[in-house]
Amino acid sequence: MEIELSLEFLRVVEKAAIESARTMGLGDGHKADQAAVEAMRKVMDEVPMDGTIVIGEGERDEAPMLFIGERVGAANHVRGFNFPAVDIAVDPLEGTNLCATGAPNSITVLAASEKGGLLHAPDLYMEKIIVGPSCKGAVELDAPVADNLRSIAKRLDRDVERLVIVVLDRPRHEKLIQDIRKTGARIRLIGDGDLSAGISASLIGTGVHAVMGTGGAPEGVLTAAALRCLNGQILARLVVSKPEHQERLEKMGIKDGKRIYTTEDLAPGKKIIFACTGVTDGGMLRGVRFFGEGIRTQSLVVTLDERQMRIIDTVHLEKRPDAKVRFM
């Protein structure tokens, strides 16, 4: 599955990035998100698969685009072929506000696995701690912040003061931020995009050593899919604070709202593909660049079983006989 579909999914995230980038800086987050969703859905219907969206748009109101349970892929309109069954999680535009304002680190994201290979997470908040391969097993979700940071520093053979921890800039993280700063560790506050931050924590050279705090549960599953391929670790727990939250968990078959999920719990698949394309420039990927005769995109595609990580620079030329390619 990974070999056959990885480049197909690359096309999906590339097209979504291009269309959302056309709205970059216009100040209209809804328009940016809609452009990404519509592009992603259209290209996915060309992919040779029998796909089901398990994390997507419209869980609560079943909006008519990439809603949970929606069937996508060529199996919907091509008969007589045995297409592979695939579960798909998408964030058509992570960092909608980042794209709308032209800020860094907006990306389009897709993860896929065999049936049952991705947790069907409800659209709730989730407590998270994310670290790279060197720190797997060194942290605990309920451990004091100082203990976790000392453990990370020990694994990385550096002082706590030389750690950089990414935290979403939200009022709910005021105490977390205070606790991190008390240790002397540095903090990188971000407005959106904890998924891309989580991936960065698993890559050497990004300058990110961990991600802490509460973010979206769907983004947690997508992050876990990437981390399975990159040998990183996420520990997470759903935030269930209202009776209606518990009802939604039961509806999705989740019995224990206090469970701490591991990377493998969130993305248990044996065959996983994770693909993302930069929309605006970021620390991990360059954004979409428009030039006179085409468009250039940069993407990351990683696979679990094949153990491949590709950074793909693509030039999308206009369909004209005199189109010229700029190499650099």
Side-chain angles (χ1 to χ4, degrees):
M1 183 191 87
E2 292 181 348
I3 294 175
E4 293 83 355
L5 294 179
S6 58
L7 292 181
E8 295 283 353
F9 291 137
L10 170 66
R11 292 177 51 239
V12 174
V13 292
E14 283 180 338
K15 186 62 175 176
I18 289 169
E19 294 308 312
S20 56
R22 296 186 193 279
T23 74
M24 189 274 292
L26 297 180
D28 190 339
H30 177 76
K31 184 176 182 179
D33 192 49
Q34 184 176 21
V37 168
E38 291 178 353
M40 188 171 275
R41 188 173 189 273
K42 181 178 180 181
V43 180
M44 270 201 291
D45 272 342
E46 301 171 359
V47 176
M49 65 174 177
D50 182 1
T52 303
I53 301 295
V54 297
I55 290 178
E57 300 285 309
E59 177 203 323
R60 300 182 189 184
D61 54 9
E62 296 192 353
M65 44 182 161
L66 294 178
F67 57 86
I68 291 177
E70 183 176 359
R71 302 291 292 274
V72 293
N76 281 333
H77 48 82
V78 178
R79 306 301 177 208
F81 291 90
N82 186 23
F83 293 107
V86 181
D87 279 355
I88 297 171
V90 296
D91 191 343
L93 184 58
E94 198 217 14
T96 300
N97 293 329
L98 302 178
C99 179
T101 60
N105 290 316
S106 180
I107 60 176
T108 56
V109 185
L110 179 150
S113 182
E114 75 274 15
K115 299 295 289 184
L118 299 169
L119 179 73
H120 297 203
D123 188 10
L124 298 177
Y125 282 128
M126 177 179 270
E127 301 172 64
K128 309 172 191 176
I129 182 168
I130 303 167
V131 293
S134 300
C135 299
K136 287 174 68 174
V139 297
E140 298 179 14
L141 189 62
D142 288 330
V145 169
D147 290 356
N148 278 329
L149 295 185
R150 280 194 293 266
S151 297
I152 293 170
K154 184 176 180 180
R155 287 286 187 92
L156 296 178
D157 193 24
R158 62 172 62 207
D159 295 332
V160 171
E161 290 79 7
R162 293 178 57 210
L163 296 178
V164 175
I165 312 302
V166 172
V167 180
L168 277 170
D169 189 5
R170 299 288 189 273
R172 63 179 179 268
H173 290 149
E174 182 177 350
K175 185 179 185 304
L176 172 63
I177 291 169
Q178 290 176 355
D179 290 344
I180 295 172
R181 286 178 173 158
K182 284 179 183 177
T183 70
R186 292 171 291 167
I187 296 177
R188 183 178 299 172
L189 291 174
I190 58 173
D192 286 293
D194 65 336
L195 196 166
S196 56
I199 299 169
S200 295
S202 286
L203 299 174
I204 296 173
T206 61
V208 175
H209 304 113
V211 178
M212 293 182 171
T214 302
E219 289 84 355
V221 174
L222 283 159
T223 301
L227 297 181
R228 284 290 312 280
C229 302
L230 296 170
N231 280 333
Q233 181 184 29
I234 178 173
L235 296 174
R237 177 171 49 216
L238 293 165
V239 177
V240 183
S241 57
K242 300 178 182 179
E244 53 263 37
H245 292 170
Q246 185 62 44
E247 292 174 5
R248 291 173 62 203
L249 293 188
E250 293 172 0
K251 183 179 179 181
M252 300 188 76
I254 299 174
K255 298 179 180 180
D256 184 2
K258 297 181 180 179
R259 176 179 176 179
I260 295 178
Y261 292 91
T262 66
T263 317
E264 289 75 15
D265 294 328
L266 295 171
K270 296 181 179 179
K271 295 183 181 295
I272 294 174
I273 303 167
F274 178 89
C276 61
T277 298
V279 178
T280 58
D281 283 344
M284 185 172 62
L285 295 170
R286 291 201 65 181
V288 176
R289 287 153 285 165
F290 296 93
F291 56 94
E293 295 167 321
I295 304 165
R296 193 162 188 166
T297 58
Q298 189 173 63
S299 307
L300 170 70
V301 180
V302 290
T303 55
L304 176 62
D305 192 42
E306 293 296 318
R307 287 296 179 184
Q308 293 180 341
M309 171 179 166
R310 296 185 177 102
I311 303 292
I312 300 174
D313 226 326
T314 305
V315 176
H316 310 259
L317 288 175
E318 290 187 358
K319 294 181 179 180
R320 39 186 282 195
D322 61 341
K324 298 182 286 293
V325 180
R326 182 188 298 274
F327 180 65
M328 296 298 291

